[in-house]
Amino acid sequence: MKPPPPWIAAQVRQLLAQRGHAWLLQGPSGLGQYSLALELARAWLCDQPAAQGACGQCASCHAVDVRAHTDLCVLMPETIMLELGWPLGEKAQQDLDEKKRKPSKEIRVDAMRDAVEFAQRTSGRGRGKVVLVYPAERMNHVTANTLLKTLEEPAGDLRFVLASEAAHQLLPTIRSRCLGHTMTWPEESAALAWLQAQGIKPADAPALLRAAGGRPEDALSFAQAGRDAKVWAVLPKALARGDAAALADWTPAEAVSALQKICHDLMAVKTGGAPRFFQASDLPAAASFAALTAWARELANTARTVEHPFNAGLMLETLVSQARSALNSRP
Ligand SMILES: [Zn+2]
């Protein structure tokens, strides 16, 4: 496994220095909740852990790295398990292979039952057991309550790490059973250096990081989804010209999110603030504040139904035309 980025490594050290059998890692997406949760689990299970974390060499570390540690139970929605390369349970895999259902976007009740069984077993390698839940807000009421019972009576050697982008949606009783840790934002220079180490061109890294609002992992996924730093920088002005090609290969959800960022930055500039997602020079001349407010409302409405657009092509056309009229409104 690659060493974690420096801002994650610092948080691993910080959390390992404290005693806690249940951690709740919280903060916005793209700051590395999952990496931190996994590093913590790896360190807890490691045969020769050091203050900075797992050794990376022992049989336990190896078992975590190949996703086959008997004392680590990961609870995630199936879509995320597949994305991150975790094996599904036998029954779940069979259901998907036979196309009985689609991969679940929630943490399934069946997976939670397996986790309860796991909690009751004795540790296979003798260094305790770990349950990792990510993203914890994807538990429904039934799964959350089952987890709560396990949290309330943890077997002596069982530890938990929950990671969430929306900790406020968790049951208060779950939150209160965990020690909370708010994810640290990386310094811009550290985030840029890390992006370059992942193969991003030095010239592109700043715009990608800006596009992701300063969240390095989101910036990397954005680049990996084929998004170009140069295209991002010219997007606001292209939309002001009504250039529909600018959004042609974007999904409606990606398009709405990009438009919300443009709208956010124009409103920020309008009220004397600094843009967050673009450089000031990327933005078209100031539009009317009333038009921007109305546009922000339209985008928020669209965002609610964007996962199930009636007609994606038509939706993109509407989005471009709304953008054009808002961006060309004159104060
Ligand atoms: Zn190790």
Side-chain angles (χ1 to χ4, degrees):
M1 212 162 81
K2 278 192 200 162
W7 62 91
I8 296 294
Q11 294 174 80
V12 173
R13 274 196 303 278
Q14 185 194 338
L15 297 188
L16 286 175
Q18 302 173 57
R19 291 191 172 274
H21 84 274
W23 280 102
L24 170 59
L25 315 178
Q26 52 197 2
S29 79
L31 293 184
Q33 282 95 331
Y34 166 71
S35 313
L36 179 54
L38 187 58
E39 283 300 327
L40 208 53
R42 205 161 160 256
W44 282 338
L45 295 168
C46 174
D47 293 335
Q48 291 153 326
Q52 68 267 26
C55 73
Q57 311 288 330
C58 69
S60 171
C61 285
H62 179 69
V64 173
D65 296 349
V66 300
R67 313 261 189 273
H69 201 299
T70 47
D71 295 332
L72 173 62
C73 168
V74 300
L75 276 173
M76 299 179 190
E78 290 167 348
T79 47
I80 295 187
M81 304 262 304
L82 294 169
E83 206 176 291
L84 296 172
W86 288 93
L88 301 180
E90 213 172 307
K91 172 77 171 63
Q93 187 63 55
Q94 195 181 350
D95 286 353
L96 297 187
D97 288 345
E98 291 170 2
K99 301 208 176 354
K100 284 188 184 154
R101 57 180 180 83
K102 289 192 172 162
S104 162
K105 289 184 180 178
E106 271 195 344
I107 294 172
R108 299 186 75 232
V109 178
D110 288 358
M112 187 59 78
R113 277 197 206 106
D114 292 347
V116 170
E117 258 181 53
F118 168 88
Q120 289 157 353
R121 279 206 302 267
T122 40
S123 142
R125 302 193 77 261
R127 297 205 64 92
K129 293 174 297 178
V130 179
V131 176
L132 186 161
V133 190
Y134 169 79
E137 69 273 16
R138 303 267 193 98
M139 290 185 286
N140 64 26
H141 230 73
V142 179
T143 44
N145 274 303
T146 314
L147 179 77
L148 185 61
K149 285 196 198 92
T150 320
L151 271 170
E152 278 168 343
E153 305 165 30
D157 61 350
L158 181 63
R159 298 201 240 202
F160 291 87
V161 55
L162 283 65
S164 176
E165 290 164 10
H168 59 278
Q169 291 174 16
L170 300 178
L171 293 177
T173 37
I174 286 189
R175 286 203 305 263
S176 68
R177 296 278 161 187
C178 300
L179 288 174
H181 170 74
T182 304
M183 297 297 297
T184 312
W185 286 81
E187 295 283 336
E188 192 186 358
S189 55
L192 291 174
W194 178 77
L195 282 171
Q196 288 172 35
Q198 311 308 307
I200 301 292
K201 287 195 212 117
D204 291 346
L208 289 169
L209 188 62
R210 226 177 282 124
R215 303 169 189 184
E217 290 190 355
D218 285 357
L220 185 62
S221 336
F222 194 65
Q224 284 166 343
R227 299 291 161 226
D228 188 305
K230 289 172 208 76
V231 174
W232 179 256
V234 299
L235 188 62
K237 286 181 183 164
L239 286 165
R241 290 192 305 271
D243 180 0
L247 294 178
D249 63 336
W250 296 56
T251 66
E254 288 172 327
V256 170
S257 150
L259 294 169
Q260 285 180 317
K261 289 175 176 176
I262 297 176
C263 188
H264 167 277
D265 274 9
L266 283 166
M267 289 173 86
V269 170
K270 199 80 190 163
T271 49
R276 176 170 176 212
F277 304 103
F278 294 90
Q279 279 186 304
S281 57
D282 299 337
L283 298 168
S288 111
F289 195 76
L292 291 175
T293 319
W295 188 30
R297 256 198 315 271
E298 283 170 344
L299 287 169
N301 281 332
T302 313
R304 276 193 277 278
T305 55
V306 75
E307 293 290 341
H308 309 283
F310 174 63
N311 176 330
L314 192 63
M315 181 180 261
L316 283 174
E317 248 174 62
T318 311
L319 288 171
V320 172
S321 117
Q322 285 172 352
R324 185 185 187 180
S325 62
L327 293 171
N328 289 288
S329 61
R330 283 295 153 251

